[in-house]
Amino acid sequence: MSEPVPDLFDKIVNLSKRRGIVFPSAEIYGGFRSAYDYGPVGVLMLRNVKEAWWRSMVQLRSDVVGIDASILSPPAIWEASGHLANFTDPLVDCRHCGARHRQDKLDDPDTCPTCGTTGQFTEPRHFNLMFKTHAGPVEDEGAVAYLRPETAQGMFINFANVINTSRKKPPLGIAQIGKSFRNEITPGNFVFRTREFEQMELEFFVPPDEAEQWYDYWCKERFQWYVEHGIDESQLRLRPHDDDELSHYSAATSDVEFLFPWGWDELEGIANRGSFDLEQHMAHSGQKLEYYDQATNERYVPHVIEPAAGATRTMMAFLMAAYHDEIVNDETRTVLRLHHRIAPFKAAVLPLSKKPELTGPARELVTELQAHWMVEYDETQAIGRRYRRQDEIGTPFCITYDFDSLEDKAVTIRERDSMDQVRLPIAEVAAWLAERLV
Ligand code: GAP
């Protein structure tokens, strides 16, 4: 296990701002609490997180298909799912300082963590976390719509559509990546808990008697996904929920947790939801959401195993796990040891000088490599500083075009983690990278 980095949280927030990973939203208007914008580097990383999930969960499997469902949704969905009645947090106000808190997250349920006053909380109010809006010009009850608080319901309400059109049978998963919205009472810890975030969810529909085995399968599979993408096992754990934490319909739930600077916290929940969701939508919509197995002449309501992850939260964990400060030649080098698949840029081309005889061919090499990967080009500042800049955003390979390159038609490639350098003919660079990049 690597040594914990002191002040890691602040370092990640600063690096994110400095290097165009994540900006506080609406900064020029004084900011908008708990909303964030992903910058030129961050947008690439977030896309890579989602792409890596999609690759593992959809592309490499024959038993999962994807969908992209609407964010705006009618109340009927949330009535059936139970969100209108139950998707609430207990909200308390401190009468002394006016601060608002989630009662279930307080260390001491009687003491305000903002001002330290005891016994001054209001009675808890059940605050629904869904964002309510109106579809169309008339703001009456008939026009009420919600921004989805999870992507999951999109899969349940499309179960019959997918089964009827995909020519597949359970075990069958429906996967989706997309934005979800929750009016969190206490957003915070940077992008860990925000009101607008992205989820990556799979609803895996199985014959009822296979639910337990698939639950075990997905717990292992999902834990391993984070390890495969560069998080050390010592920073991860799979924590089964205690009975009093389980939702009433859940037979079992486990969270994949990451060791954040404030302690263990959730990256993803894997739940055995039984047939609850399909039964609810059948009851409320009057539609049949069953599977008819022609081979056995059996009709059943599939059970669902749901691995539900957050893309933005996962990106934050990848940043934290990859961050290293190390001393090189008496100077601190900050490096993000990101998995190649997650790294925003796969390579950077750096001409040694701004002279056109170097920048011209260097740009030609960029054009060639850009056909395959996201590649940076940087001709500013001293070469050492440019290397550091790429280290800070986790670029695996830096390619230097120098004056010798004009003669020997070769470039120097420096690897991010070892800082080892090799000299390679320019004509071989693309193939060399393709061999090494995951
Ligand atoms: N369909 C089940 C579901 O939505 P969840 O545990 O509420 O389950 C799944 O959410 C994942 O979505 C969480 O593990 C977390 O990674 C992410 N998530 C939930 N609320 C979030 C928030 N306010 N900000 C960022 N990510 C969030």
Side-chain angles (χ1 to χ4, degrees), residues 40-56 177 198 200 225 229 311 314-315 318 338-346 373-374 393-394 396:
V41 173
V43 70
L44 299 177
M45 187 171 168
L46 184 58
R47 284 173 69 111
N48 291 345
V49 169
K50 292 184 282 185
E51 191 48 45
W53 186 90
W54 190 267
R55 180 177 179 278
S56 301
I177 299 176
E198 281 196 85
M200 311 184 287
W225 185 84
H229 289 87
T314 297
M315 172 170 153
F318 280 143
L338 290 170
H339 187 278
H340 289 176
R341 203 171 279 139
I342 304 297
F345 292 99
K346 309 305 174 197
W373 306 284
M374 284 303 305
I393 59 170

Side-chain angles (χ1 to χ4, degrees), residues 57-279:
M57 304 296 273
V58 183
Q59 184 186 330
L60 298 181
R61 306 186 65 100
S62 304
D63 55 1
V64 176
V65 296
I67 61 163
D68 190 359
S70 171
I71 289 174
L72 270 182
S73 38
I77 295 178
W78 310 107
E79 185 80 53
S81 69
H83 282 77
L84 273 174
N86 303 320
F87 197 53
T88 58
D89 278 341
L91 170 70
V92 289
D93 293 312
C94 172
R95 289 195 188 90
H96 183 72
C97 72
R100 287 214 157 132
H101 298 286
R102 250 177 83 173
Q103 190 191 39
D104 57 331
K105 293 279 175 189
L106 292 171
D107 290 334
D108 171 356
D110 284 328
T111 305
C112 173
T114 309
C115 68
T117 309
T118 299
Q120 284 300 315
F121 280 136
T122 54
E123 282 299 305
R125 278 185 290 134
H126 289 281
F127 172 75
N128 195 296
L129 299 185
M130 283 197 294
F131 279 98
K132 191 175 179 178
T133 185
H134 293 89
V138 185
E139 292 199 1
D140 63 13
E141 267 309 296
V144 166
Y146 290 92
L147 300 188
R148 66 181 177 198
E150 60 171 20
T151 58
Q153 298 304 322
M155 280 76 107
F156 299 130
I157 61 171
N158 280 295
F159 172 72
N161 282 338
V162 172
I163 280 283
N164 293 338
T165 54
S166 65
R167 306 169 70 86
K168 289 177 187 277
K169 56 182 276 193
L172 170 66
I174 310 180
Q176 180 171 203
I177 299 176
K179 289 230 173 178
S180 294
F181 300 82
R182 296 181 189 178
N183 200 358
E184 300 280 2
I185 298 170
T186 47
N189 283 339
F190 196 39
V191 296
F192 180 82
R193 180 171 289 105
T194 49
R195 296 197 171 108
E196 174 180 346
F197 55 97
E198 281 196 85
Q199 289 189 305
M200 311 184 287
E201 295 195 282
L202 171 71
E203 306 303 327
F204 199 70
F205 299 89
V206 300
D209 58 354
E210 293 180 21
E212 247 175 78
Q213 98 198 32
W214 280 109
Y215 169 72
D216 291 342
Y217 168 88
W218 280 112
C219 284
K220 291 194 189 92
E221 194 75 8
R222 291 307 305 152
F223 183 91
Q224 212 43 44
W225 185 84
Y226 294 94
V227 177
E228 271 165 27
H229 289 87
I231 302 186
D232 194 274
E233 272 193 51
S234 61
Q235 294 175 292
L236 289 168
R237 71 177 188 191
L238 188 69
R239 188 185 66 80
H241 280 203
D242 296 331
D243 285 349
D244 60 353
E245 279 180 276
L246 287 178
S247 325
H248 59 282
Y249 52 80
S250 173
T253 299
S254 292
D255 288 345
V256 179
E257 294 187 337
F258 176 72
L259 190 53
F260 285 97
W262 57 89
W264 290 103
D265 220 331
E266 176 186 336
L267 281 181
E268 165 162 0
I270 300 115
N272 178 349
R273 300 176 67 105
S275 59
F276 174 79
D277 307 278
L278 291 181
E279 302 272 9

